[in-house]
Amino acid sequence: MFEKVAYREGSDGVLALAVPPRLTLEELPLPAAPLLLVLEAVEKPGNLGAILRTADAAQATAVIVCDPRTDLFNPNAIRSSIGCSFTVPTIATTRDELLGWCRRHGIRTYAAALTERAVAYTTCDFRGPTALVMGTEADGLTPALLQACDQTIIIPMRGAIDSLNVSTATAILTFEAVRQREA
């Protein structure tokens, strides 16, 4: 029976059952200039975990997942986050709830996407209330979220490919925001 409920082999005979923390946007304490990492429809728990590690390292205010396609506390997300699933406030919400909440709190939204109106991320000012909005690797952001964001940004690519892994792109944008805030 234990082997059927244990997530992986070699668990040393220890199994825990816990109720994951559930936080809402309205419960999130906001500093004067929050730095939020927003993921739309994240589907790969490993990417979520890696982004949580970035959020922890950068001391981002929170990771917000709009319309998630994976459980925020999936064992793979927890494992790849090396425990940051419990150090970073993480919220699941809908796109519309997020956009309304950002507007009410004066949070500027920056959508990472390869579009005609996109500007290089290094030309943006991330020192104020900021939400960095990332889409899935396969599909990017939905047109509705992309259109609703205040600015579209890109990471200029110099090689043959036109995109990065979403966790890598999130780390680049996040640490540019940190650099600006510390300057």
Side-chain angles (χ1 to χ4, degrees), residues 147-168:
Q147 287 297 326
C149 285
D150 297 310
Q151 179 67 59
T152 305
I153 57 175
I154 59 168
I155 299 170
M157 305 296 290
R158 295 194 166 106
I161 61 164
D162 65 358
S163 68
L164 294 170
N165 169 281
V166 69
S167 63
T168 301

Side-chain angles (χ1 to χ4, degrees), residues 101-165:
W101 180 82
C102 283
R103 280 189 218 100
R104 286 192 306 278
H105 291 282
I107 299 168
R108 190 156 168 82
T109 51
Y110 295 89
L114 186 59
T115 68
E116 287 183 16
R117 71 178 188 123
V119 299
Y121 75 100
T122 53
T123 65
C124 297
D125 183 352
F126 299 131
R127 292 174 294 174
T130 298
L132 301 172
V133 183
M134 312 299 289
T136 65
E137 289 181 12
D139 303 318
L141 292 166
T142 59
L145 185 53
L146 186 58
Q147 287 297 326
C149 285
D150 297 310
Q151 179 67 59
T152 305
I153 57 175
I154 59 168
I155 299 170
M157 305 296 290
R158 295 194 166 106
I161 61 164
D162 65 358
S163 68
L164 294 170
N165 169 281

Side-chain angles (χ1 to χ4, degrees), residues 12-182:
D12 297 327
V14 178
L15 181 70
L17 180 63
V19 177
R22 299 284 183 213
L23 186 63
T24 67
L25 290 171
E26 298 307 325
E27 295 169 330
L28 180 65
L30 289 177
L35 175 58
L36 305 167
L37 308 184
V38 176
L39 311 174
E40 184 182 34
V42 66
E43 55 195 359
K44 296 180 180 175
N47 283 337
L48 175 59
I51 290 167
L52 287 166
R53 289 171 74 172
T54 295
D56 181 86
Q59 293 187 318
T61 306
V63 171
I64 300 170
V65 183
C66 297
D67 308 311
R69 294 183 189 167
T70 189
D71 180 1
L72 301 185
F73 292 94
N74 176 297
N76 284 331
I78 293 171
R79 185 173 64 224
S80 65
S81 81
I82 60 168
C84 293
S85 295
F86 304 105
T87 65
V88 176
T90 308
I91 299 167
T93 190
T94 66
R95 174 190 64 231
D96 293 338
E97 287 171 353
L98 170 80
L99 291 169
W101 180 82
C102 283
R103 280 189 218 100
R104 286 192 306 278
H105 291 282
I107 299 168
R108 190 156 168 82
T109 51
Y110 295 89
L114 186 59
T115 68
E116 287 183 16
R117 71 178 188 123
V119 299
Y121 75 100
T122 53
T123 65
C124 297
D125 183 352
F126 299 131
R127 292 174 294 174
T130 298
L132 301 172
V133 183
M134 312 299 289
T136 65
E137 289 181 12
D139 303 318
L141 292 166
T142 59
L145 185 53
L146 186 58
Q147 287 297 326
C149 285
D150 297 310
Q151 179 67 59
T152 305
I153 57 175
I154 59 168
I155 299 170
M157 305 296 290
R158 295 194 166 106
I161 61 164
D162 65 358
S163 68
L164 294 170
N165 169 281
V166 69
S167 63
T168 301
T170 302
I172 291 168
L173 298 176
T174 300
F175 278 96
E176 172 61 15
V178 169
R179 185 195 68 75
Q180 289 181 17
R181 289 162 182 240
E182 291 176 347

